[in-house]
Amino acid sequence: WAGNTLGFIGRFEEKRKGLDILAAALPAIIARFPDVKVIVAGPGDSVEFIKGIEPTLRKRFEFLGRISEKEKADFLTSVALYVAPNTGGESFGIILAEALAGGASVVASDIPAFDSLLGHGKFGTLFESENASDLAKKVIELLGDGAQRKSIAEAGKNYAQQFDWDVVAEKIYDVY
């Protein structure tokens, strides 16, 4: 997916995953970037979810359903931004590590697990949790500054190498 695409992976029907927060941020984002699209991957009833979204925004969403690991890798390398608007209940955020490893520029809520994983904003962009206005502001800034978006993505990709299983296994071996 080329252009101004925002990616989301997860059980989108779960309120704590925050897709409704991304939907609430969309009008402000569209005002600045009229071509923006949201690509959603993951399990759930897209027909039911889309009913709860403002009718003018519905055409902005594309639901892929469940995707394979290969498709996920392609997804993460092709979206302009990976957005994780989760509101809580995350202990680590493996999808963020995967997004970083895939080279995506990540925008995530500042919940503790995501804040820690993203190095307090060093390896991804944080927004105030449950604040659609702040999310819109951060997305607009990044879509408008390709160099900054690329710089953050590169830093994140390098950082994510520490989560590679070979590196983790070596660290565990060193402990023993």
Side-chain angles (χ1 to χ4, degrees):
W1 296 272
N4 292 320
T5 52
L6 309 178
F8 175 96
I9 297 176
R11 295 177 305 276
F12 57 85
E13 290 177 311
E14 281 189 39
K15 187 90 170 141
R16 71 183 182 91
K17 297 298 182 180
L19 187 56
D20 59 324
I21 295 164
L22 178 53
L26 267 185
I29 298 167
I30 292 166
R32 178 69 172 81
F33 295 97
D35 63 333
V36 78
K37 290 259 188 201
V38 179
I39 314 298
V40 179
D45 185 349
S46 60
V47 173
E48 195 59 36
F49 182 84
I50 209 79
K51 286 179 185 176
I53 295 174
E54 181 182 324
T56 60
L57 299 177
R58 292 176 184 168
K59 68 180 190 275
R60 302 295 180 147
F61 286 83
E62 180 178 343
F63 290 86
L64 305 178
R66 291 181 188 266
I67 57 176
S68 69
E69 290 300 313
K70 166 74 172 103
E71 290 167 329
K72 185 192 304 182
D74 292 342
F75 178 94
L76 293 170
T77 60
S78 66
V79 293
L81 294 171
Y82 180 78
V83 182
N86 307 49
T87 62
E90 304 295 336
S91 59
F92 176 70
I94 190 70
I95 189 60
L96 293 189
E98 291 174 324
L100 294 174
S105 185
V106 173
V107 179
S109 60
D110 64 356
I111 61 174
F114 291 179
D115 179 53
S116 177
L117 181 70
L118 294 177
H120 312 293
K122 187 174 178 184
F123 307 111
T125 303
L126 296 165
F127 72 94
E128 182 183 346
S129 182
E130 301 185 56
N131 185 332
S133 296
D134 194 37
L135 172 56
K137 178 182 174 216
K138 301 292 172 60
V139 167
I140 289 166
E141 287 172 3
L142 289 170
L143 289 178
D145 188 346
Q148 175 69 6
R149 188 171 68 236
K150 183 178 178 183
S151 174
I152 291 171
E154 286 175 7
K157 187 170 186 168
N158 291 332
Y159 169 69
Q161 291 175 5
Q162 74 175 318
F163 302 113
D164 181 82
W165 279 114
D166 290 337
V167 174
V168 171
E170 187 68 33
K171 287 179 182 177
I172 292 171
Y173 181 77
D174 287 346
V175 169
Y176 285 101

